[in-house]
Amino acid sequence: MKITDTDYNTQGVTKYRVYAKIGAPATEADPYQEVTAPGSYGIDLSALSIYPANADPVHFLVVAFDADGRKSTPTVNDRSSVSWDMEGPNQPTGLTLVDNGDGTMKYLWSDQSTDDDLDHFVVYFNKGAEATPTNGAIMTGPYLKNYKGNNLLSGNNYILDRLGAQNGDVIHVTVYAVDQYGNQSEPAKASETFSGKVLAN
């Protein structure tokens, strides 16, 4: 969630409290997250002691405070609600990894940009083992939601060189789609053997 307050610098705001409640309007008796950076600021809602299920309506109330502890009187503009989203976007489809035979490899997948809440992609590469976020794979991205892949060029610290890829090595790629709330899709995976040929000068 992001708080945007365009008047904070003329009103002496030093912090906010964001109250949250599931299924009904939030009040100042509900759990809250304190935000100490005024202006436009993203807050980590995981710190709130509420546990909505997917698609639950979650209501927020924002109260501003000045340096003397005086608080604002909330108006309709200080309230918001969302449908809680815990599901990732669709898994990327059509992922392929191709050895071009000239020291390069190409990875690409189908266009996923029509997913309603898709925000970006992240891509992992590894040599000799599946590319995962937890096994030392190289991550690239985030990429815009209309990104569909690229060449893995050899030379100048490109991915194949960072992996130390040589002739006969199996290269693995894993792609996750990520929505605007940070939820990840199921991974799309592909692998291919690298020919190891060097690009001509």
Side-chain angles (χ1 to χ4, degrees):
M1 178 179 175
K2 178 172 284 188
I3 297 171
T4 301
D5 182 0
T6 57
D7 296 326
Y8 77 94
N9 57 347
T10 61
Q11 296 177 336
V13 176
T14 59
K15 68 179 181 181
Y16 306 96
R17 283 183 179 172
V18 181
Y19 298 86
K21 188 171 186 176
I22 302 170
T27 72
E28 292 178 59
D30 292 313
Y32 67 86
Q33 169 69 37
E34 197 156 282
V35 179
T36 56
S40 182
Y41 191 79
I43 68 170
D44 178 9
L45 297 180
S46 65
L48 291 168
S49 56
I50 61 171
Y51 306 97
N54 189 58
D56 276 350
V58 181
H59 300 262
F60 299 95
L61 170 67
V62 179
V63 178
F65 291 81
D66 66 14
D68 296 322
R70 293 176 297 222
K71 65 181 182 178
S72 64
T73 300
T75 68
V76 66
N77 290 335
D78 301 313
R79 296 183 178 274
S80 183
S81 62
V82 298
S83 178
W84 200 255
D85 184 353
M86 298 176 64
E87 293 185 354
N90 294 332
Q91 179 188 43
T93 60
L95 177 64
T96 59
L97 179 61
V98 178
D99 180 75
N100 295 325
D102 59 1
T104 71
M105 300 183 83
K106 176 179 283 188
Y107 66 100
L108 51 93
W109 61 87
S110 302
D111 186 7
Q112 311 296 121
S113 60
T114 56
D115 285 5
D116 288 342
D117 60 357
L118 176 63
D119 186 74
H120 64 272
F121 295 98
V122 289
V123 183
Y124 292 85
F125 300 97
N126 208 358
K127 178 182 74 174
E130 185 176 305
T132 74
T134 58
N135 71 348
I138 295 172
M139 186 194 85
T140 63
Y143 297 109
L144 297 176
K145 65 180 183 179
N146 59 355
Y147 184 79
K148 294 188 290 183
N150 206 342
N151 279 341
L152 298 175
L153 299 178
S154 182
N156 298 320
N157 202 33
Y158 284 98
I159 295 296
L160 293 172
D161 296 290
R162 291 170 62 190
L163 290 172
Q166 298 180 7
N167 182 50
D169 286 339
V170 177
I171 306 301
H172 297 259
V173 59
T174 301
V175 179
Y176 293 91
V178 184
D179 70 17
Q180 59 186 319
Y181 306 106
N183 301 311
Q184 286 190 338
S185 70
E186 291 296 315
K189 305 174 186 178
S191 62
E192 182 60 272
T193 301
F194 180 48
S195 69
K197 294 182 180 180
V198 178
L199 286 170
N201 293 327

